[in-house]
Amino acid sequence: MTSPVTPESGKGPRRFTSGPFKGRSLKQHILRRLILVLPLSLLMIVLAKSGFMDRLVDQYTFKPASWFDDTALVRHLRQQVTHNGMTGDRPDCLLFIVNGNSPPTATMIDVMEKHSGNCPNPDASLPKLFSLRVDRVAARVETDQGTPGQFHPVP
């Protein structure tokens, strides 16, 4: 039985003699794989750092029934608040406090800024940034950012 990789001559590079890589050296095979994999890896890193992947995941996972699930709603609002530029903080430095006694047509959620752990100014304080009023039935979110007590639609 012959080996799938044999030298053509005593000195030349080893080449595949059968299969889909026939006539290609191992070095050529590795270089072709790197030419394919490296740009794709860099593209994925850029998409993840830009937040595009987070928006895409939110678009496919947040369904109409998710308006009534606090965990899914907070995950969606966290992405929406940071993407719309309502705050310059990192998503993991925001704390969403859901008022469980609110009616479904006007659920109040306070958005707080964490100052602990990896977040800026670790003094363990929680300053309130703004409030969100969520109408779960109509799937609408309003905020009082910039005008405390007066709500307007989220940009």
Side-chain angles (χ1 to χ4, degrees):
M1 183 169 172
T2 61
S3 172
V5 179
T6 59
E8 290 179 340
S9 66
K11 287 188 169 184
R14 296 177 60 121
R15 298 197 182 273
F16 292 96
T17 58
S18 63
F21 310 117
K22 186 176 182 179
R24 188 184 311 166
S25 71
L26 183 60
K27 182 178 177 181
Q28 289 172 332
H29 180 69
I30 291 172
L31 283 175
R32 286 184 184 200
R33 292 292 173 203
L34 285 175
I35 288 171
L36 179 71
V37 170
L38 284 178
L40 288 177
S41 300
L42 291 174
L43 177 65
M44 288 305 295
I45 290 170
V46 167
L47 290 176
K49 292 288 185 184
S50 69
F52 179 77
M53 294 302 290
D54 293 333
R55 290 190 302 273
L56 193 62
V57 167
D58 183 58
Q59 180 181 2
Y60 283 109
T61 58
F62 192 74
K63 304 295 180 201
S66 299
W67 284 97
F68 298 95
D69 177 19
D70 286 340
T71 305
L73 180 62
V74 166
R75 190 177 327 117
H76 173 70
L77 291 174
R78 182 182 311 271
Q79 192 277 326
Q80 189 176 12
V81 163
T82 56
H83 172 67
N84 289 346
M86 294 175 69
T87 179
D89 294 329
R90 295 191 326 251
D92 59 330
C93 289
L94 296 176
L95 180 66
F96 289 77
I97 300 176
V98 180
N99 184 348
N101 295 329
S102 300
T105 56
T107 303
M108 295 299 292
I109 300 175
D110 291 332
V111 180
M112 313 291 267
E113 183 180 31
K114 286 190 223 175
H115 286 276
S116 60
N118 299 356
C119 298
N121 304 327
D123 60 359
S125 65
L126 285 171
K128 180 179 174 181
L129 297 176
F130 50 87
S131 293
L132 298 171
R133 183 168 60 190
V134 180
D135 185 352
R136 295 175 190 247
V137 177
R140 186 175 54 234
V141 181
E142 297 176 333
T143 182
D144 69 347
Q145 181 187 25
T147 56
Q150 297 178 356
F151 289 89
H152 51 85
V154 171

